[in-house]
Amino acid sequence: MNLFLAAAIALIAGLLMTRVAGKFGLPDVTAYLITGVLVGPYFLGRLGVPGLGFVSGAEVAQLGFIPSTALGFIAFTIGSEFVWSELKKTGRRILIIGILEGVLTSIVVDIVLLTAHIFLPGTLSAAGAITMGAIAAATAPAATLMVVRQYKAKGKVVDVLLPVVALDDAVGLAVFAVSFGIARAMSDGAVDVISIAVDPLVEIVLSLVMGGLLGELLTRLEKLFNSGRNRMALIVGFVLLTVALSMLEFDIGPVHIAFSTLLVCMALGVIFCNRCPFAEDLMNKSDKWTSPLFALFFILSGAELELSVFASAAVIGIGLLYIIFRCVGKYLGAYIGTTVTGCEPQVRKWLGITLFPQAGVALGMSVTVSSWGAEGALIRNIILFGVLIYELFGPVMTKYALTRSGDIKPKSPEVENRRANYLASKGK
C-alpha cells in the first residue's frame, strides 16, 4: 500500500508542479524530474514517512515495470514516425545525420577525456575514457518526444529530429558495444573479438527482426477487430508483450544473445504504422492515456537520480567535461550532417541543441559498466551526474531550439484572450 500511495502522491505532485514550472516557461518534463528528486530518498524520503516519499532507491526499483513499459511505448511511438513514403525522400539524410552526430560525439568526448587521463591518470583510466565516449552517443528519446507532444511542435526540425533520435539508439548501442569491448580488452590485456564485433551486431539485427515479426503479427490480428477500443487494447497488449520478450537473454556457444527493448519496440511501431491503415488515428488516441504513464516515468527517473555524486570533486570535474563536450559533439555532428545532406538553415542551426537530453539508454549502459569494479562505479556516478544535468536542462534547451526554429508556434491572440477571459470570470 505504501508503494502505491507514494506513486499516487508523486504523480499528483508532478502534475501540480507543471503549473509552477509553466509560469517560468519550463516544459513538463523538467517539472516531473524535479518532483521526482523532491519525493526521492534525498528529500521527502529521508523523513521516513510511509507513502509520503520513496524511502530508498530499492523502493523506487520495485516500480521498475513502469519505466520499462513507458520506454516501450516511447519507442513504439517514435517508430511510427518512420513512414515509408517519407523515408524514400529523407531516409538517406536521416542515416547520414544520425551516424555522423553519434560517432562524432563519441570521438570528441574520447579525445577530451583521454587528454584528462594524461594529466589525471589516477582519476580516470584510458579504458574508462573510451567507455564514457561511447555512452555519450546516446540521446534520450523520451524527453524529446514529451516536449514535442506538449507543445504540438511541427516543422522542418521535428521532421528530422524524431527519426534521428530513434536511429541514435542503434548507433549508440553499436558504438558502446564495440568501445566497451575494446576498453575491457585494454583493462584485461586480452581482445575478445566476439564481444567486440559479433555480440553488438547480433543484438541490433535480432532486435529489429523480432520487432518486425511482432509488428506484422499485430497488423494481421488488428484486422479481426472493428472498434477502436479493442484495437487500442490489442496495441497495449502487444507493446507489453514486446517489452517482455525483449528481456530475453541466453547464450549460443560463445555468442551472447540479447535484445534492445528500444529497438524491438521501435521496429514494432515501424511495421505497424506502415501496414495498418488506421495506425495514425490509433496513435493519436494513444497519446491521451499514455500521458500519465510518461509522467510517472520521468518522476521515477528523478527519484532514482543519485545525488550523492556531488560529494566527489573528481566526479564533478570529469562530469563537467563530459557534459560540455558531449554537447559540443552533438551540435557539431548534427551541423555537419545537416550541412552535408543539404538541410534547411533552421535545421542546421537548431537540430544539435535538441539532441542534448540523455537518460534511459545511457543509464542502461552505465548499469552494464557498473559491474566493472571500481572503474565501473566511477563511470556510473559520472553518467548519473550528467543525466541529472541533461534531464533538468535538456528539455528546456529543446523547447528553446524548437521555438526559435519556428516548430513551436506561439499561441494565437484569440486563444490567449479566451484564456484571459475565462480566468477573469473565475476571479483568478
Side-chain angles (χ1 to χ4, degrees):
M1 187 189 76
N2 291 338
L3 194 60
F4 279 97
L5 183 60
I9 292 175
L11 178 58
I12 295 169
L15 293 171
L16 294 175
M17 183 65 79
T18 62
R19 300 299 87 199
V20 178
K23 295 184 182 297
F24 297 94
L26 299 174
D28 289 352
V29 178
T30 303
Y32 294 141
L33 287 162
I34 293 172
T35 302
V37 172
L38 293 177
V39 301
Y42 290 92
F43 286 90
L44 289 178
R46 294 185 75 90
L47 298 176
V49 180
L52 182 61
F54 297 103
V55 178
S56 65
E59 194 171 74
V60 180
Q62 291 182 53
L63 294 172
F65 66 92
I66 293 177
S68 297
T69 304
L71 280 175
F73 279 101
I74 288 164
F76 178 71
T77 302
I78 291 177
S80 68
E81 298 294 328
F82 285 85
V83 181
W84 298 135
S85 57
E86 295 297 323
L87 283 178
K88 290 177 182 177
K89 305 173 187 175
T90 62
R92 176 177 167 274
R93 171 186 293 182
I94 298 302
L95 189 65
I96 292 173
I97 296 172
I99 292 175
L100 268 177
E101 59 88 8
V103 173
L104 188 59
T105 299
S106 288
I107 293 173
V108 169
V109 174
D110 276 342
I111 291 173
V112 171
L113 293 185
L114 284 171
T115 303
H117 159 70
I118 293 173
F119 291 98
L120 299 169
T123 303
L124 182 68
S125 69
I130 292 173
T131 302
M132 289 184 61
I135 296 174
T139 302
T144 302
L145 181 63
M146 280 288 284
V147 172
V148 170
R149 276 187 173 184
Q150 180 186 349
Y151 297 101
K152 297 179 175 61
K154 291 183 181 179
K156 299 293 185 182
V157 177
V158 170
D159 290 343
V160 176
L161 170 62
L162 291 180
V164 165
V165 167
L167 181 62
D168 230 15
D169 184 40
V171 174
L173 284 171
V175 172
F176 172 74
V178 173
S179 297
F180 189 44
I182 293 172
R184 283 185 299 185
M186 292 171 60
S187 179
D188 301 338
V191 178
D192 184 354
V193 177
I194 292 179
S195 64
I196 293 175
V198 178
D199 285 352
L201 181 61
V202 168
E203 179 174 337
I204 292 170
V205 171
L206 290 184
S207 296
L208 296 177
V209 170
M210 177 190 282
L213 291 175
L214 289 171
E216 182 62 27
L217 181 59
L218 170 60
T219 303
R220 291 177 182 271
L221 292 179
E222 176 272 333
K223 296 176 182 177
L224 300 176
F225 302 95
N226 295 319
S227 72
R229 185 180 304 167
N230 288 336
R231 285 175 175 145
M232 276 305 309
L234 183 67
I235 290 173
V236 172
F238 256 82
V239 174
L240 293 176
L241 174 65
T242 304
V243 171
L245 291 177
S246 68
M247 296 178 181
L248 289 171
E249 284 190 56
F250 52 92
D251 294 315
I252 298 179
V255 179
H256 181 68
I257 305 297
F259 302 89
S260 163
T261 298
L262 288 174
L263 283 181
V264 177
C265 291
M266 186 183 73
L268 177 76
V270 171
I271 299 301
F272 178 70
C273 78
N274 285 281
R275 298 276 287 131
C276 176
F278 306 104
E280 185 175 356
D281 181 53
L282 291 171
M283 294 303 296
N284 289 334
K285 289 179 179 178
S286 72
D287 290 350
K288 297 177 181 178
W289 72 268
T290 53
S291 294
L293 178 65
F294 292 168
L296 262 179
F297 167 75
F298 285 105
I299 291 169
L300 293 176
S301 296
E304 283 183 320
L305 292 175
E306 193 66 50
L307 302 187
S308 61
V309 297
F310 290 109
S312 171
V315 169
I316 293 176
I318 297 173
L320 289 174
L321 288 176
Y322 173 82
I323 292 167
I324 293 169
F325 285 96
R326 178 181 172 274
C327 291
V328 171
K330 285 289 179 184
Y331 190 86
L332 284 178
Y335 187 85
I336 294 171
T338 51
T339 302
V340 169
T341 55
C343 289
E344 293 78 0
Q346 68 265 37
V347 180
R348 294 201 300 269
K349 185 174 183 180
W350 299 110
L351 178 65
I353 295 176
T354 64
L355 299 173
F356 288 171
Q358 186 178 48
V361 179
L363 288 174
M365 293 175 180
S366 70
V367 170
T368 302
V369 174
S370 63
S371 60
W372 189 22
E375 187 77 35
L378 174 65
I379 293 172
R380 176 161 171 75
N381 283 337
I382 293 171
I383 298 302
L384 282 169
F385 172 55
V387 165
L388 175 63
I389 302 302
Y390 283 130
E391 285 296 88
L392 290 176
F393 297 101
V396 178
M397 297 298 292
T398 299
K399 178 198 171 186
Y400 172 77
L402 292 178
T403 301
R404 294 298 302 271
S405 70
D407 284 31
I408 293 178
K409 306 292 190 299
K411 292 181 180 179
S412 66
E414 292 80 6
V415 174
E416 294 290 353
N417 289 335
R418 281 203 302 270
R419 178 173 175 78
N421 292 334
Y422 172 77
L423 293 176
S425 67
K426 298 294 183 180
K428 297 181 180 180

